Amino acid sequence: MAGAFLFHTVGIFLRTREFQHLPVTTMFEYMLVAAWFGALCYFVIIKFVKNWFVSACNVIVIVMLMVIVSLLPKEGSSALMPALRSYWLYIHVTSAAASEGLFGIGCASSILYLIKTRLCPVNCLYAKIPELALLDEITYRSITVGYLLFTLGALFAGALWAHKAWGSFWSWDPKETCSLIVWMIYSGYLHIRINRRSIGLMPHFLSIAGFMAALLTFFSTLLLGGMHSYG
Amino acid sequence: MHAGFLFLVTGGIIQFWFGDKQLVMIAEGTGEFIERFHIKILLHDFSIIRNKKGEIINYRSDLELRDTSNRTLICAPTMVNAPLKYHSLYFYQMNYGCLPDAVERFSAVVVDSTGDTLFSGAIPFKTTFPLGNKNLSLQCNYFLCDFYYDFESRTPVTRSREHINPAFKVTLWRCGSAIDSQWVFQKFPAMNSKIGRYSIAIVSYDPSFFSGIQVQKKPWTSLILLGIICVSIGLLIVFLFPLYRKG
């Protein structure tokens, strides 16, 4: 995993050097960076959680992201359109990719949480899956950091950039609308989790729904077009 | 944090109800009066900024704003990602294009009947330009980007805004009197290019641009910015210092 992460990092570095800008301008590059953040989270998790089963599940999420990456057009260009030649690009896109990587981790641990609640204690898999409290903590912490990055970086930095480049903070573009849905789902998760201190199933359903909505947000420009259709 | 959201929503509603916008296309060197904002915009220059590799990095319009009494309010450029702001009015560089009926300058070659080149060089549009020392001068006052002869009105017109068949109506002068005028086609140099015993060819031209400026009235933008700041600070406090909540 460390070797793969190293190659991934070198790949991002080489692409940055080739095109003279961070690889965050096409869907391929965006997913590549999101998967890189997911892999970074993997190392954080194995440092603090030290559970091979959780690590293996996170690897599945990263592999899933990399499969999506491999299916996307890989062409790049050093010639950025003027609207993208802004420092906001790096703030906005990098934090959005990082937050989606973290939401992916949250989704994986929520799935494990739901599986464990459905399993019988005598099942051999039951013992291998970490304690529910630990899974809940992983979900909560990854979503907490992801939500912060998503709100500040993806939504607010995006709105401020749109105000400068497009003339309005919010345009109800398909990607913006889908992002708002993602944000509302995770806001719901955090309100339930923080205020009611609930350890029930609802927050985990929201965590999974949030990541599914985040994937829909990613594909919304392919399916619906809009102002975010850059590449 | 929740107060910040209130500011955001209130600011959004105010901008939705009281905001306004209009897109204006202004040719270089001309102006446009926008009645709903009581302001006149003059476009002094439009330029495409390129880097060393020749890639377009920005579009720039040098604007001058005047009030109804023709008093200059502000003279400043607007660019992509850097709109011009005047009170609650924002001026955005939205698009640009080549004018269908004007050029900046054109390069012409004038050859006499013996095959000697009398002139080769750039001539500004709508300017009588002397050609060497033979008391000849050349002028072009009309340009059509996609020449088409309309048989109904019996006038040449442009068929589109694309520069598909650029044509220049040039007049050749000798000692202050016009020899003749002729439509010269850039892409068909052999056709219609003779005036008297002189052949005229248009080699290239620099188009004149228009700039698409979107003027937006956005009142209470500061309320939205205040909302963003409040929510950001609130989020940082809640998530980076969670112990305060636990207590």
Side-chain angles (χ1 to χ4, degrees):
Chain A
M1 187 64 192
F5 183 68
L6 186 69
F7 279 120
H8 195 156
T9 310
V10 171
I12 289 175
F13 172 75
L14 290 176
R15 197 171 170 98
T16 305
R17 207 176 67 164
E18 173 71 22
F19 297 124
Q20 302 291 309
H21 56 77
L22 274 177
V24 287
T25 57
T26 64
M27 293 180 80
F28 166 77
E29 292 175 342
Y30 177 81
M31 214 38 143
L32 194 72
V33 172
W36 186 86
F37 277 109
L40 191 69
C41 294
Y42 164 86
F43 289 107
V44 175
I45 287 168
I46 57 169
K47 181 171 170 54
F48 290 105
V49 178
K50 292 184 175 63
N51 183 295
W52 70 269
F53 197 83
V54 174
S55 306
C57 289
N58 285 329
V59 169
I60 291 169
V61 174
I62 295 159
V63 168
M64 192 182 81
L65 292 175
M66 289 307 284
V67 167
I68 296 171
V69 168
S70 69
L71 295 173
L72 292 166
K74 294 159 192 68
E75 291 79 19
S77 171
S78 63
L80 284 181
M81 63 171 71
L84 295 180
R85 289 179 184 271
S86 167
Y87 58 90
W88 287 109
L89 173 74
Y90 303 116
I91 301 170
H92 174 57
V93 183
T94 320
S95 51
S99 60
E100 286 187 9
L102 285 159
F103 291 154
I105 302 298
C107 173
S109 58
S110 283
I111 290 169
L112 284 180
Y113 187 97
L114 293 178
I115 290 170
K116 181 138 186 165
T117 54
R118 290 284 178 274
L119 286 177
C120 179
V122 292
N123 191 309
C124 61
L125 200 61
Y126 188 90
K128 288 172 184 167
I129 299 176
E131 290 303 311
L132 290 177
L134 178 64
L135 290 171
D136 188 61
E137 197 61 22
I138 293 169
T139 307
Y140 173 64
R141 283 180 188 267
S142 56
I143 288 177
T144 303
V145 182
Y147 183 80
L148 188 71
L149 287 170
F150 191 76
T151 310
L152 301 186
L155 293 186
F156 288 170
L160 290 170
W161 187 15
H163 167 63
K164 279 189 173 288
W166 294 339
S168 62
F169 289 100
W170 196 262
S171 315
W172 296 106
D173 168 73
K175 191 143 198 159
E176 291 176 356
T177 310
C178 289
S179 298
L180 185 66
I181 293 167
V182 172
W183 183 83
M184 287 168 87
I185 292 171
Y186 283 115
S187 298
Y189 168 87
L190 288 172
H191 275 82
I192 292 172
R193 184 67 177 65
I194 294 171
N195 293 329
R196 293 188 188 172
R197 311 290 299 163
S198 166
I199 316 291
L201 297 181
M202 189 58 186
H204 295 282
F205 281 122
L206 284 175
S207 163
I208 296 164
F211 186 63
M212 294 301 127
L215 287 181
L216 181 69
T217 304
F218 175 72
F219 289 111
S220 63
T221 46
L222 277 181
L223 301 170
L224 305 165
M227 294 162 88
H228 282 82
S229 315
Y230 287 116
Chain B
M1 185 162 69
H2 291 93
F5 279 111
L6 203 63
F7 293 151
L8 272 176
V9 173
T10 311
I13 290 168
I14 288 171
Q15 289 208 344
F16 180 75
W17 285 108
F18 300 106
D20 203 356
K21 65 180 174 184
Q22 187 175 341
L23 181 67
V24 284
M25 305 290 184
I26 312 169
E28 274 180 314
T30 65
E32 192 84 30
F33 181 70
I34 305 174
E35 206 170 335
R36 67 170 82 172
F37 300 128
H38 308 292
I39 206 160
K40 187 178 182 181
I41 311 171
L42 282 93
L43 175 66
H44 290 303
D45 187 41
F46 172 80
S47 52
I48 299 171
I49 304 167
R50 294 172 189 272
N51 61 13
K52 285 175 186 171
K53 285 190 253 173
E55 296 162 351
I56 296 171
I57 56 170
N58 216 322
Y59 305 107
R60 174 182 167 133
S61 293
D62 289 315
L63 301 180
E64 181 184 341
L65 307 183
R66 291 185 185 173
D67 62 10
T68 45
S69 56
N70 220 20
R71 192 165 51 92
T72 299
L73 303 170
I74 189 169
C75 254
T78 184
M79 291 193 281
V80 176
N81 280 320
L84 168 64
K85 182 178 181 291
Y86 180 74
H87 295 302
S88 62
L89 291 176
Y90 290 78
F91 300 82
Y92 291 94
Q93 177 67 58
M94 295 308 276
N95 57 17
Y96 76 99
C98 299
L99 286 174
D101 55 1
V103 292
E104 282 280 309
R105 63 189 71 79
F106 59 98
S107 292
V109 176
V110 182
V111 180
D112 69 7
S113 55
T114 62
D116 291 338
T117 302
L118 298 179
F119 175 81
S120 175
I123 300 172
F125 191 56
K126 291 191 175 178
T127 305
T128 307
F129 196 83
L131 309 176
N133 52 5
K134 294 206 171 186
N135 293 323
L136 287 171
S137 50
L138 193 72
Q139 186 185 27
C140 173
N141 278 343
Y142 300 100
F143 167 77
L144 294 171
C145 67
D146 188 10
F147 184 92
Y148 169 73
Y149 192 81
D150 184 11
F151 286 98
E152 281 188 13
S153 62
R154 297 189 176 194
T155 50
V157 291
T158 184
R159 193 163 31 188
S160 69
R161 295 184 72 90
E162 304 298 315
H163 287 228
I164 295 168
N165 182 20
F168 300 75
K169 190 171 187 183
V170 295
T171 307
L172 194 64
W173 302 77
R174 177 186 275 153
C175 303
S177 59
I179 299 174
D180 203 356
S181 290
Q182 195 68 267
W183 280 100
V184 178
F185 302 93
Q186 192 215 354
K187 291 186 179 172
F188 305 99
M191 196 174 95
N192 224 24
S193 62
K194 284 200 183 301
I195 297 180
R197 59 192 187 89
Y198 302 100
S199 260
I200 299 160
I202 306 293
V203 182
S204 63
Y205 62 94
D206 294 336
S208 270
F209 290 105
F210 71 84
S211 182
I213 304 291
Q214 190 173 72
V215 189
Q216 289 204 24
K217 186 185 179 188
K218 295 203 279 191
W220 291 78
T221 298
S222 49
L223 189 65
I224 294 177
L225 296 176
L226 181 69
I228 287 176
I229 291 167
C230 286
V231 176
S232 303
I233 292 170
L235 270 176
L236 287 169
I237 290 170
V238 169
F239 294 115
L240 296 182
F241 305 103
L243 287 175
Y244 291 112
R245 285 187 65 81
K246 281 177 185 171

